[in-house]
């Protein structure tokens, strides 16, 4: 029988994002999102539950946003001069510094907010997809967000 998800925690890091689960049997694990995550072979002790993290990166392709390891892959496939203008990383730090230091104009703030919003929206789609596949449910009792 598959355990029920008690809570999910998402840590939005400047460089990487982690998604962790607490199950009703008391166990805890990182949620591996194979389409967007990278594996850390040195920290993985259980192949059933790999230590994985999502690079906090986004690439705005013509087909929509790509996040995590797919963002980096997509930017290397795009040989247009404006490719790096559609790529974002460190947007959490940049966004906080932008407001704190009035570093960007309104368009700069808007761009950082849009990247953050798109990253979170795409991440949630991947999380819901993986939860429904792995646990046959997207029902959770508690959501914890940290940054």
């Amino acid at each position: 029988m598959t355990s029920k998800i008690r809570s999910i925690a998402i840590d939005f890091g400047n460089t990487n994002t982690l998604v962790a689960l607490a199950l009703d049997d008391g166990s805890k694990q990182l949620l591996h999102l194979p389409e967007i995550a990278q594996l850390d072979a040195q920290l993985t002790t259980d192949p059933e539950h790999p230590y994985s993290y999502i690079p906090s990166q986004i690439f705005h392709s013509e087909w929509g946003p790509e996040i995590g390891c797919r963002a980096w892959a997509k930017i290397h496939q795009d040989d247009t001069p404006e490719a790096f203008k559609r790529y974002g990383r460190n947007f959490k730090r940049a966004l906080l510094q932008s407001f704190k230091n009035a570093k960007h104009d309104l368009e700069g703030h808007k761009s950082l907010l849009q990247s953050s919003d798109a990253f979170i929206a795409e991440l949630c789609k991947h999380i819901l997809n993986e939860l429904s596949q792995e646990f046959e449910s997207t029902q959770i009792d508690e959501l914890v967000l940290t940054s």
Side-chain angles (χ1 to χ4, degrees), residues 59 62 73-84 86:
F59 181 73
E62 56 194 68
K74 289 291 183 184
I75 196 168
H76 288 290
Q77 294 172 358
D78 189 333
D79 57 1
T80 62
E82 64 276 346
F84 274 95
R86 296 185 292 148

Side-chain angles (χ1 to χ4, degrees), residues 14-129:
N14 191 56
T15 306
N16 297 305
T17 296
L18 294 173
V19 181
L21 304 174
L23 305 177
D24 63 354
D25 65 4
S27 65
K28 295 174 178 73
Q29 68 184 57
L30 289 176
L31 181 64
H32 177 53
L33 301 170
E35 293 183 3
I36 60 172
Q38 290 184 283
L39 297 176
D40 189 319
Q42 292 179 333
L43 294 176
T44 296
T45 57
D46 177 3
E48 292 287 318
H49 301 102
Y51 184 92
S52 68
Y53 56 92
I54 299 102
S56 298
Q57 303 172 1
I58 188 165
F59 181 73
H60 300 277
S61 75
E62 56 194 68
W63 300 281
E66 298 283 356
I67 66 168
C69 63
R70 289 171 63 167
W72 188 246
K74 289 291 183 184
I75 196 168
H76 288 290
Q77 294 172 358
D78 189 333
D79 57 1
T80 62
E82 64 276 346
F84 274 95
K85 292 179 183 174
R86 296 185 292 148
Y87 171 74
R89 65 183 181 136
N90 298 329
F91 45 84
K92 184 180 96 170
R93 181 177 296 139
L95 184 62
L96 293 173
Q97 289 299 319
S98 177
F99 286 112
K100 181 179 173 185
N101 299 330
K103 186 176 178 181
H104 296 285
D105 59 11
L106 184 58
E107 279 304 307
H109 288 303
K110 185 178 175 186
S111 174
L112 290 167
L113 286 170
Q114 288 171 334
S115 288
S116 299
D117 185 55
F119 180 86
I120 292 167
E122 284 300 303
L123 178 64
C124 288
K125 288 178 194 175
H126 286 279
I127 290 171
L128 291 173
N129 183 47

